Structures are given as structure tokens and as C-alpha cells.
Amino acid sequence: MPDHTPRLLDAMDAFDEGIYIVSNDYTVEYMNRYMRDIFGDGVGKKCHDVLNQTDMPCTWCNSDEIFKKKKAHHSRVHIESVDKTFYLSEMPVENEDGTWSKLSVFRDITETVQREKNYESSKESYQRLFNHVGCGVFISSKEGRFLDVNPTLLEMLGYQDKDEFLSLDLANDVYQTPEDRRRYTRTIEKKGKVVNYEAKWRRRDGHLLHVMITSNVRYDIQNNILGYEGIVVDQTRRKEQERQVKETYDFLEKIISCSPNAIMAMDMKGNIKLWNRRSEEIFGVPASQALRGMNIRQIFTKRGSERVMEMIRSDRHGGKGRLNAFLFKFDRSPGNQLEGNLSAAILYDDKGEELASVAIFADLKEQLQAERELNEARQHLLQSEKLAAMGRLTSQLAHELNNPLFGIMNTLELMKTEISPRNKRRRLLDMSLSETVRLADMLKKMLSFSKPDQEERLEIDINVVIDELMLLYEKRFRENSIKTTLDLVEDPGLIVASRDQLRQVFINMFSNAMYAMPDGGRLEITTRVKGKLLFITIEDSGTGILPEHREKIFDSFFTTKTESVQGVGLGLSVCYGFVKDHGGDITVASEVGKWTKFTISLPMNN
Ligand code: ADP
């Protein structure tokens, strides 16, 4: 057989594995190119010098086994000097001279080892992740059992015993209803996965959880469905927060929408972004139209809007960016002037840039109407007072004239009997008599005029009358810092009365009370039914009435008001007349400097 050795050795240079021959005294006899490239040419040197191993013989080197037992040996070695791991196959080779050498093949497995290490560490990481991740992780079977779950899922559903959990029937024990699980499997099997699938799962204690599942189908190699795997996130708290946010939003929305004032918000170009129900009513523009690209200039006019913006930006009307309520008049359309209190503000972003503006408009149309009504009622009262005064004067005059007139009439009648009908003077006497009769008729008419008009009397609910008046007076009371309390008996029944006269009684009482509380105070109105009488009390925390005045206040022309404009002392006497006319009564109680309480009683209609 030819000696192939030199050629074989040359050929070994082509290998991608290290080939290395060492004599039994550890002298390197051969290194192929692969080994030389890594360790340098070490032929003739001691093995441990070449491989740079400090221990001798190397801890991994199994020379005993190889040289003494003549057995091959395989091991995995890591050579620090080059930071490589090799799969080392060593075998004894007998030389021609009877000595033994060792042939080693070094296969670089550094990458494989690294991969193994990586695999191990990632397996560990996955396990760690599986155990500690903040969401539930599951693997389930197609039939509906959990095959594996992480501790978070166990905890999420309130279980401690994993075996108990794995024995659950998903359709019946975990999903809210079996149909819910069927829906899940139908959905996931359609696309192979679900992302953020919302479902309700049942905890061990029966409570329902809102969960979000992101999972996919597991297939076997024949593409048959094995089951599903994925993650589960507990959304219960988020759902609750969502519900709270929605509730708050709805609440705010309702407040805005039900506000008795128009509430509007605009971007900085004036485009309308919020338009509540009252805005629709006051400006006659439905929200659908206002929010579809309408500009506030189309409502407040260009001039009006610019003026408002100028006022908000200046710091003279409540501070920069704020506009306190002011009386704003503008022509909504030709001949349709709107008047109301407008307050507004600019909203700024974090950087202080203008973001939007918001405005509140309180329409004063109704209030002005109420004030007009109140004025009319007061005029009416004044008129009644005047009429009553005239009436009393007329009645006193009539009474005073009546007696002497009847005296004259009687005397003339007497004289008639003494003068013959044919007597020329008798005619003069008849003439005087007829004139006095005419005068008596006139006096009778004057007397009937002096009585107050008998207004139409209707069935009336006193609470309604009081409520209406409170509406009229609300603003004046507020302006005069008077706090009113109504304590009205529920369902007081009906009285038969003249609404107008009753209103006048109350208006007079309210005016007196206000006059008695120049610095504000308390006004309490109470209604009560006792037997067949309705009692209305009006109590104020005003100046009170001096004991010596209490007797006189219902008299005509009694007043303590110094300025003639304020009163002529007829108010209470007219009220008294009205109430008496209705078969009722008014009484007063008072403590000077503390309070005054008028009690009106009226008969009930039953
Ligand atoms: P006038 O309003 O012209 O004064 P009124 O008949 O209404 O006439 O009242 C007569 C007087 O009775 C008042 O001037 C006032 O002195 C007294 N008076 C009436 N109501 C009150 C009240 N609530 N508190 C204190 N004094 C009152």
C-alpha cells in the first residue's frame, strides 16, 4: 500500500475541523491548517503551551484512558484562550515504532453551545414570563378545558388550586353562558385568531369579570384544531372606569343640555362646537345646523361677536380671559332684538395658547315680561288704593250729606201737607222736593261707587297664586338680599276668591316686608289648613311694628313711611277690606327690631 501520509496530511488542511496529533509526552506532532489558524503553529511545542491551558495534563484531556486503555474518548471542551467550545474526539494511534500518539479532532461547537445556552435562558425567561406576567395566559383544548394556565389567570378568577382550575368546563364554569363560549370558538376559528375579544368570565365566587382575550388557534400537523392559546386581560376595572366616565359625561351633558341658559362653545375661529337645547330655543337654530359649520358671528352678528371677544381679552370685565355677565343686546334678525345677560370665557391650553371660547347667554325676555307684569300689578294696587281713598272720601261725604238732606226732604214733605195743592207755592215746594230726591239718588250712586268692585270670584288654589307671585318677586327679593322660604301645605284645597284682589293683598304685604328689611333678611310664607279655614302667614325678619302702631296699621292713611312716594297708608286698609269682603280676617304680631308676622285666614270652599 502506498504511503499516503504526506498527501493525507495536506488534504487535512482542507477540513473545517481541527486535526491535531500529540505524542504521549504531550508534544504536538501535527496541526492542520484549521488548528494553526486558531492557535498558531505549535508543532514541536508542548500541547498545553499551544492550547494555552495552564493545567497539565489538561483537566479535560483524558490521556490515561487513551494511552493506557487505548480507548477513544469524546468530550466537550471550552478553551479559554480562544473562547471557543469544541467537540473533541480523541483516539489512540499506534506509531510504527510502537509508541502511541493521540489523534484529536476539534469540531467548533461554540455557536451550538451558545444557541443551547440561549435556548435554555429563553426557556427560563418564557417560564418566568409565563409565571409573572400581569395578564392571564392559557392553553385550552378544543373541547373546552384549560390545559395550562399561569398563576395570574388563576388569581384573576379567584382559584388557588390549579388542578381544580384545570378541571373546569369552560363553557359552563368559566364563560357567562355556554353560548358565549360557542361564539368565541366560532369567531376565533373563522380567522385563526381573535384580538381584544371581549367576553364575560365567571370568578370562583360567582362574580363576573369583563375580560379581553387575544388568542389564536393551535393546529396539529394535519391542520386539525387542537385548541386555543392566548392571553386574558381583566377589564373589569377599566369597564367600571369607563362606566364612571360615561356617567360623569352623561351627567355633564344633561346639566348642559337642561340648563335654562344658552351654553355655547366655539373654537378660536368662532366655529360653533357646543350648542345646548336652550341655545336652540333662544336663537332658533337647531344644534344639527349650528354644529355643521356655523359661526357664532351668524348668531351674535360680526360686530357683536368682535365686541365680546375684545371684552373677554381685556382684563376690565372680570380678569383676562373672562367676561362677567353683562347686558347684551343684539339684532338676531331685522326686528327681532334679543336681550340677555352674556358671560363668557376663553379656555387656554397648557402653554397658555387660546384654545376655545365658551359663552352663557341668559335670555331676559321672560324676566322682562315678569317685571312688566309686576309693574302692572303694582300700578293696579296703586290704582285700587287711590280708588279706595276716593271711595272712602265719597262715602264719608255721602254719609255727611245724607242726613241733612233727609232732614230737608222730611221738612219739605211736612210743609207739603200744610200747603194746598192749588197754592202757587205748592209747585215751588214740589220742585224743591224733586230736586232733593234727585240729590238723594245721586248720593246713593256715590255710595255704591265707594264700594270696591266686586271682582269675579273663582275657585283658587292659594299655592298657585303664591308660586306665581314668588316668580314675579324672585328677582326683587334677590336684589334686596331677601331669602325666601316657602312652607306650603300640600294640596290645600280650593278657596273661592278674586285672584286679582288676593294678588294685591300679597303684593302689598311683600312691599311692606321689603321696606321693613332695607338690608335684606328672611321672608317666610306658610299655608296651613285648619278645619274650614285656610291660614296664610307672611313673616319677615324686618324692623317690626311698635306696639302703639299695631292697632292703627289697618286704618286708612296710617303710614310710618316718611317719603310720600313710598306710601300713603292705604295698602293694609285696602287689603283688610278685600280679606273681610271674602269672609276672612287679617291679624298681625310683631317684635320690634326682630320680626313681623301677618296671618290671613280665609274660608275654604267646602
Ligand atoms: P303704607 O304702605 O303706605 O305705609 P300700609 O297700610 O301698607 O301703608 O302700611 C301701614 C304701616 O304699617 C306702614 O307704614 C308700616 O309702618 C306698617 N307696616 C306694614 N307692614 C309692615 C311690616 N311688614 N313691617 C313693619 N311695619 C309694617
Side-chain angles (χ1 to χ4, degrees), residues 67-80:
F67 288 121
K68 288 185 187 151
K69 297 188 192 158
K70 315 282 190 285
K71 272 178 74 183
H73 183 261
H74 304 276
S75 60
R76 198 180 252 216
V77 296
H78 185 77
I79 300 184
E80 296 291 343

Side-chain angles (χ1 to χ4, degrees), residues 219-415:
Y219 299 96
D220 66 10
I221 36 174
Q222 274 97 40
N223 229 17
N224 298 316
I225 293 173
L226 284 174
Y228 320 97
E229 61 194 5
I231 58 165
V232 181
V233 181
D234 181 1
Q235 294 286 296
T236 314
R237 197 177 296 165
R238 194 181 63 94
K239 283 270 169 197
E240 175 59 16
Q241 280 167 351
E242 255 176 35
R243 196 190 58 74
Q244 283 174 2
V245 168
K246 185 169 179 317
E247 209 175 88
T248 314
Y249 177 83
D250 288 349
F251 183 59
L252 286 176
E253 170 98 3
K254 274 200 193 100
I255 292 176
I256 291 174
S257 124
C258 300
S259 164
N261 298 326
I263 302 179
M264 303 145 266
M266 283 68 60
D267 66 14
M268 290 321 291
K269 287 187 186 136
N271 298 317
I272 296 170
K273 298 289 171 198
L274 180 105
W275 194 251
N276 74 343
R277 211 183 299 153
R278 191 76 182 110
S279 306
E280 294 183 327
E281 290 165 3
I282 295 178
F283 305 114
V285 176
S288 54
Q289 187 187 341
L291 298 173
R292 217 185 305 119
M294 244 181 114
N295 196 289
I296 196 66
R297 292 191 183 96
Q298 293 167 262
I299 305 289
F300 288 158
T301 70
K302 184 167 180 289
R303 250 194 65 227
S305 317
E306 282 169 2
R307 190 172 137 231
V308 170
M309 282 317 284
E310 258 169 41
M311 288 171 81
I312 309 181
R313 285 188 177 118
S314 100
D315 52 10
R316 279 177 294 132
H317 308 280
K320 195 169 169 359
R322 272 183 60 143
L323 171 58
N324 287 343
F326 82 110
L327 197 64
F328 184 52
K329 271 191 208 170
F330 63 96
D331 289 321
R332 176 72 190 94
S333 53
N336 176 16
Q337 194 183 55
L338 285 184
E339 187 175 9
N341 273 332
L342 182 79
S343 43
I346 291 181
L347 311 180
Y348 297 95
D349 67 10
D350 297 344
K351 289 183 217 120
E353 304 277 341
E354 290 181 350
L355 200 67
S357 65
V358 53
I360 299 178
F361 182 78
D363 186 18
L364 289 181
K365 208 187 272 170
E366 279 169 26
Q367 203 171 323
L368 290 175
Q369 177 68 19
E371 269 174 23
R372 257 197 308 279
E373 275 181 31
L374 179 62
N375 260 339
E376 270 170 28
R378 281 160 68 197
Q379 286 303 321
H380 208 134
L381 175 68
L382 212 67
Q383 197 58 23
S384 299
E385 285 185 8
K386 279 189 206 153
L387 276 177
M390 252 171 70
R392 269 165 226 278
L393 204 64
T394 322
S395 124
Q396 269 170 17
L397 271 171
H399 266 299
E400 290 306 314
L401 294 177
N402 221 15
N403 292 342
L405 192 68
F406 271 93
I408 296 169
M409 264 170 75
N410 284 340
T411 317
L412 291 178
E413 285 288 355
L414 231 128
M415 280 170 73

